């Protein structure tokens, strides 16, 4: 299928994700082969995109034990077929944006150089961008 068969991620969702990631040191948004990604240096922190099945997904990084735990949780989490530390999450109207804020912050800390990750205060429950 052509990229045209993939829906564009709602701008509101891209904005919400960007509010979290753009606040982190040297993290930048850029177009991806489909959708939008955020990087620190050459390392991808998160990638949000519409799938050929018309569903929206975001992928991000986690510690190895987190990856295994999320894989076993099932929907809305899924196993990504590449990369040993990649977690996938289906996005929809029921997405827990507070939890996603924590996951994205953790992903940044996994991908960023230690000197940048050390500058990040990890979110605490109830303090996401919409709280």
């Amino acid at each position: 299928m052509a990229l045209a068969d993939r829906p564009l991620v709602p701008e509101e969702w891209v904005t919400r994700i960007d509010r979290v990631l753009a606040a982190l040191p040297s993290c930048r948004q850029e177009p991806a082969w489909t959708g939008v990604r955020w990087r620190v240096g050459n390392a991808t922190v998160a990638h949000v995109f519409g799938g050929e099945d018309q569903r929206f997904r975001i992928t991000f990084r986690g510690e190895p034990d987190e990856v295994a735990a999320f894989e076993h949780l099932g929907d809305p989490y899924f196993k990504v077929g590449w990369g040993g530390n990649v977690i996938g999450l289906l996005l929809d109207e029921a997405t827990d944006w507070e939890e996603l804020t924590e996951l994205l912050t953790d992903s940044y800390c996994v991908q960023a150089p230690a000197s940048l990750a050390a500058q990040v205060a990890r979110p605490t429950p109830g303090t996401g961008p919409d709280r």
Side-chain angles (χ1 to χ4, degrees):
M1 292 186 153
L3 290 181
D5 294 333
R6 295 174 176 267
L8 294 176
V9 178
E11 191 60 35
E12 174 189 340
W13 293 359
V14 173
T15 299
R16 288 178 88 162
I17 296 164
D18 191 59
R19 274 198 308 251
V20 173
L21 294 174
L24 301 172
S26 300
C27 194
R28 68 190 183 287
Q29 179 188 136
E30 60 185 44
W33 68 274
T34 185
V36 179
R37 69 181 175 188
W38 287 262
R39 300 184 86 178
V40 57
N42 290 324
T44 299
V45 175
H47 179 199
V48 65
F49 58 95
E52 293 171 351
D53 60 359
Q54 308 304 297
R55 297 177 79 185
F56 299 100
R57 293 164 175 78
I58 187 166
T59 60
F60 48 89
R61 307 302 172 120
E63 298 293 341
D65 56 334
E66 291 178 317
V67 174
F70 282 110
E71 179 182 354
H72 291 355
L73 284 175
D75 192 27
Y77 301 96
F78 61 92
K79 181 174 177 21
V80 176
W82 52 269
N85 68 346
V86 184
I87 299 166
L89 172 67
L90 292 168
L91 296 175
D92 60 21
E93 302 76 34
T95 296
D96 181 339
W97 291 94
E98 184 176 322
E99 177 186 35
L100 184 56
T101 294
E102 294 172 26
L103 295 170
L104 293 174
T105 303
D106 289 345
S107 179
Y108 172 85
C109 290
V110 167
Q111 294 295 86
S115 61
L116 294 178
Q119 298 175 36
V120 175
R122 299 290 181 99
T124 55
T127 61
D130 294 329
R131 303 280 179 229

